[in-house]
Amino acid sequence: LNSVSSPTNLNPFNISGAQGSWAAEITWDRLMRIGTDGLPQPWAAESVTRPDPLTVEVKLRAGMKWSDGKPVTIEDAVFSLVAPGIGDKSPMYKPFVANIAGVTATGPDTLKITLKRPDAAFLVSSLAKLNLAPKHVWEPIFQGLQGKPETAESVMEDKPVSSGPFRMVKAKLNEEIVLEANREHWAAPKASRWIMRIQPNTEAALGALRSGEINFLADYNGDPQILRDIAKADPKIKIAEALDMGFKFIAYNHRRQPFDSTAFRQALSASIDRELLAEDAWGGAAVPSNSWVSPALAFWHDTGIEKRVPGGNVEAAKKLLKDAGFVLVNGRLHYPAGVKETTTPFQ
């Protein structure tokens, strides 16, 4: 498959962007994974239970091995949950463990996580996010980073040690990443090798697809119609379309005026024509949403929110602003009476 950009780095404590995650997520195991229904399912964990709002109990899957031949132990699992929260050496993953008060091994294959406060999303936002890392490899690395400006995210092993369905053979981040199947994995892949070619040029990627140099055009920023035309002209090329669980969004700085006003933000939302964006900016290959939760996540997504908060309605936006006290004078929008601009320029 192709990628239009290079991953920043590949290790179990680095979030290497969308393209890098394609390799990382099949190289390192996690205690849980997100299923096709958007819900967390046990993965490297045989079972995960929540006896009370502040306790999560995990039983580790038996028989797992690291790619260096050593067994995956409960101590490895404990370390993987604790290490990101120690000091400042794992800034990307530290937020995922911020609510963990403690992790203790309760048996040869079981552990208990104690939370600081109840967290309904913990299985999704933490256990399905944190990679299992070998303690015998990464504990010395974390210790060696103490007192240095570098973080664990900058470390690139010559031969990464992992336990996932694939193992890393070569990682030239600006050229290609090569993985080979871990046949001893309980979810052993059917493909023997996985190769990602870094091809920033879209035309080159399309040429590689036509010639058979790549099997999947996984990363494409061009006009979707071009792909449909190529598939129509060549019966060997098929198009598979699916709704992404991710989303594109505009983020406002709530610390700055007027974005601290709920009514002002609602008015901006009401004025944005999402249907037009889906058609124009994404060539019809996008689904309009009015929520942080992707419509692909049917269990979580509120299907009625688009009707309650419609987009592309300038008149509705004007009414929201008027009801909140904003005033339009000579084509300029003014704050409600008594409200003054107090935000510093760089807040």
Side-chain angles (χ1 to χ4, degrees), residues 77-143:
V78 172
F79 171 79
S80 301
L81 294 170
V82 171
I86 300 175
D88 59 353
K89 296 306 174 184
S90 184
M92 288 185 180
Y93 281 98
K94 191 167 186 175
F96 302 151
V97 300
N99 193 30
I100 295 179
V103 184
T104 55
T106 55
D109 60 355
T110 57
L111 61 82
K112 181 176 74 173
I113 303 169
T114 304
L115 303 180
K116 298 175 183 177
R117 62 185 183 281
D119 184 356
F122 182 76
L123 303 187
V124 174
S125 61
S126 294
L127 293 194
K129 284 282 190 181
L130 297 162
N131 297 313
L132 282 182
K135 182 179 180 180
H136 63 280
V137 172
W138 280 94
E139 187 175 51
I141 292 176
F142 270 84
Q143 291 172 348

Side-chain angles (χ1 to χ4, degrees), residues 61-310:
R61 185 182 291 271
M64 291 189 297
K65 289 184 179 180
W66 297 110
S67 53
D68 62 2
K70 295 184 179 181
V72 177
T73 67
I74 199 67
E75 286 76 20
D76 291 317
V78 172
F79 171 79
S80 301
L81 294 170
V82 171
I86 300 175
D88 59 353
K89 296 306 174 184
S90 184
M92 288 185 180
Y93 281 98
K94 191 167 186 175
F96 302 151
V97 300
N99 193 30
I100 295 179
V103 184
T104 55
T106 55
D109 60 355
T110 57
L111 61 82
K112 181 176 74 173
I113 303 169
T114 304
L115 303 180
K116 298 175 183 177
R117 62 185 183 281
D119 184 356
F122 182 76
L123 303 187
V124 174
S125 61
S126 294
L127 293 194
K129 284 282 190 181
L130 297 162
N131 297 313
L132 282 182
K135 182 179 180 180
H136 63 280
V137 172
W138 280 94
E139 187 175 51
I141 292 176
F142 270 84
Q143 291 172 348
L145 289 171
Q146 298 305 313
K148 298 179 181 178
E150 295 83 5
T151 69
E153 297 160 10
S154 64
V155 177
M156 185 74 187
E157 304 169 81
D158 292 334
K159 192 172 183 181
V161 178
S162 63
S163 64
F166 282 91
R167 291 170 175 173
M168 205 168 293
V169 176
K170 182 173 72 171
K172 289 189 175 181
L173 299 182
N174 292 321
E175 297 178 17
E176 69 174 8
I177 297 169
V178 180
L179 311 179
E180 66 179 8
N182 174 9
R183 294 303 182 193
E184 296 181 358
H185 198 273
W186 77 89
K190 295 179 181 179
S192 59
R193 286 164 70 84
W194 184 98
I195 303 170
M196 183 169 78
R197 298 273 168 80
I198 311 302
Q199 294 176 318
N201 185 280
T202 300
E203 286 300 321
L206 289 174
L209 178 68
R210 291 191 186 97
S211 68
E213 180 186 342
I214 61 174
N215 307 107
F216 297 95
L217 187 70
D219 206 1
Y220 179 72
N221 295 327
D223 184 351
Q225 188 57 45
I226 294 176
L227 297 185
R228 297 186 185 103
D229 293 341
I230 290 174
K232 187 176 181 179
D234 188 342
K236 298 192 299 295
I237 296 176
K238 306 294 182 184
I239 292 180
E241 295 186 68
L243 185 57
D244 190 358
M245 290 185 181
F247 57 93
K248 304 289 185 181
F249 65 98
I250 299 173
Y252 306 117
N253 184 347
H254 292 199
R255 296 171 297 178
R256 295 197 62 176
Q257 293 172 298
F259 303 109
D260 61 338
S261 165
T262 301
F264 185 83
R265 297 195 303 270
Q266 288 176 337
L268 286 177
S269 179
S271 68
I272 297 172
D273 191 335
R274 291 164 176 78
E275 295 287 348
L276 179 62
L277 281 173
E279 285 299 322
D280 223 21
W282 282 280
V287 175
S289 181
N290 224 341
S291 164
W292 293 100
V293 182
S294 168
L297 301 173
F299 181 87
W300 302 103
H301 182 71
D302 180 355
T303 55
I305 194 170
E306 283 81 10
K307 294 181 179 179
R308 295 196 307 273
V309 189

